[in-house]
């Protein structure tokens, strides 16, 4: 499972699939719930990066079902975040809101900046998809502000991408162009291929 994470991050998606196929073959012998959660999560993550949201959603829901009966609120919150992100990619912005709300409540007052930035960026994108300019801007700015600029470059790129789309929706041409430029630079250097391709596509449409 951890090898599949590393291969996915390196963009070696076919090798990641082969590793997971082997893991799935051994899954029937697993009795530990967390082993199953890690396996389901890795399948969902790889499917999401590969542009297969239906498969990704199916497996992250299986992970959520197992996490629901544990006290692991942090991983449950992150699972709901991934679920919401997959729904946004499917154009299901309304449904994603419930998972954002659950994730925000589970993260609580002492959430890590990286988790908060991901939450705010996704909330910004959801607001933009629903045409709520003010909320999209406020959440996009919060996503950028909560992260140190010299850390978590991929997450910074995602936050700037969300802010760029919000500024574009607000008609702020210069602000959107600058944010798109900064976002695509970070995502091309540090993100998954799908991240920067979609960010460039969004910039091109703008």
């Amino acid at each position: 499972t951890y090898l599949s994470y590393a291969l996915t991050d390196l963009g070696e998606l076919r090798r990641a699939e082969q590793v997971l196929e082997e893991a799935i073959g051994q899954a029937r012998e697993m009795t530990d719930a967390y082993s199953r959660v890690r396996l389901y999560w890795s399948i969902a993550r790889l499917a999401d990066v590969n542009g297969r949201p239906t498969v990704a959603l199916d497996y992250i829901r299986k992970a959520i079902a197992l996490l629901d009966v544990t006290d692991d609120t942090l991983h449950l919150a992150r699972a709901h975040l991934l679920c919401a992100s997959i729904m946004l990619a499917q154009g299901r912005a309304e449904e994603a809101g419930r998972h954002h709300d659950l994730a925000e409540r589970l993260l609580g007052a002492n959430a890590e900046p990286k988790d908060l930035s991901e939450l705010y960026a996704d909330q910004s994108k959801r607001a933009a998809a629903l045409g709520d300019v003010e909320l999209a801007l406020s959440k996009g700015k919060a996503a950028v502000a909560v992260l140190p600029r010299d850390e978590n470059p991929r997450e910074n790129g995602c936050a700037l991408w969300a802010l760029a789309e919000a500024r574009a929706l607000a008609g702020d041409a210069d602000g959107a162009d600058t944010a798109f430029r900064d976002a695509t630079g970070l995502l091309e250097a540090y993100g998954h291929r799908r991240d920067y391709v979609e960010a460039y596509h969004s910039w091109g449409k703008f």
Side-chain angles (χ1 to χ4, degrees), residues 1-24 35 37-47 49-50 192:
T1 300
Y2 289 124
L3 178 57
S4 79
Y5 290 165
L7 290 169
T8 300
D9 288 341
L10 288 169
E12 298 188 28
L13 305 184
R14 183 64 196 119
R15 285 183 64 198
E17 285 179 352
Q18 290 170 346
V19 167
L20 285 177
E21 284 168 8
E22 184 177 344
I24 291 167
S35 295
V37 166
R38 282 191 288 269
L39 177 60
Y40 293 155
W41 195 302
S42 60
I43 295 170
R45 190 166 176 260
L46 179 60
V49 171
N50 262 328
H192 297 299

Side-chain angles (χ1 to χ4, degrees), residues 8-144:
T8 300
D9 288 341
L10 288 169
E12 298 188 28
L13 305 184
R14 183 64 196 119
R15 285 183 64 198
E17 285 179 352
Q18 290 170 346
V19 167
L20 285 177
E21 284 168 8
E22 184 177 344
I24 291 167
Q26 300 173 16
R28 290 179 184 175
E29 301 170 18
M30 290 183 188
T31 57
D32 174 36
Y34 273 102
S35 295
R36 288 184 175 273
V37 166
R38 282 191 288 269
L39 177 60
Y40 293 155
W41 195 302
S42 60
I43 295 170
R45 190 166 176 260
L46 179 60
D48 183 41
V49 171
N50 262 328
R52 294 185 291 165
T54 302
V55 174
L57 200 58
D58 183 37
Y59 276 95
I60 199 59
R61 281 174 168 160
K62 289 181 179 181
I64 287 172
L66 287 173
L67 286 166
D68 262 333
V69 297
T70 73
D71 295 324
D72 191 344
T73 56
L74 176 59
H75 283 96
L76 183 56
R78 288 173 175 169
H80 280 294
L81 275 178
L82 179 54
C83 190
S85 178
I86 295 165
M87 286 181 166
L88 284 175
Q90 289 182 308
R92 297 163 63 181
E94 285 283 1
E95 293 175 74
R98 183 178 73 86
H99 293 281
H100 286 153
D101 292 343
L102 286 167
E104 191 163 19
R105 188 168 74 246
L106 288 164
L107 287 171
N110 299 311
E112 294 182 16
K114 184 176 174 181
D115 292 321
L116 283 178
S117 182
E118 183 180 348
L119 172 65
Y120 295 154
D122 263 15
Q123 287 176 326
S124 176
K125 286 189 174 184
R126 177 177 181 269
L130 297 174
D132 189 334
V133 178
E134 288 188 12
L135 184 59
L137 280 170
S138 67
K139 291 294 185 179
K141 290 174 182 176
V144 173

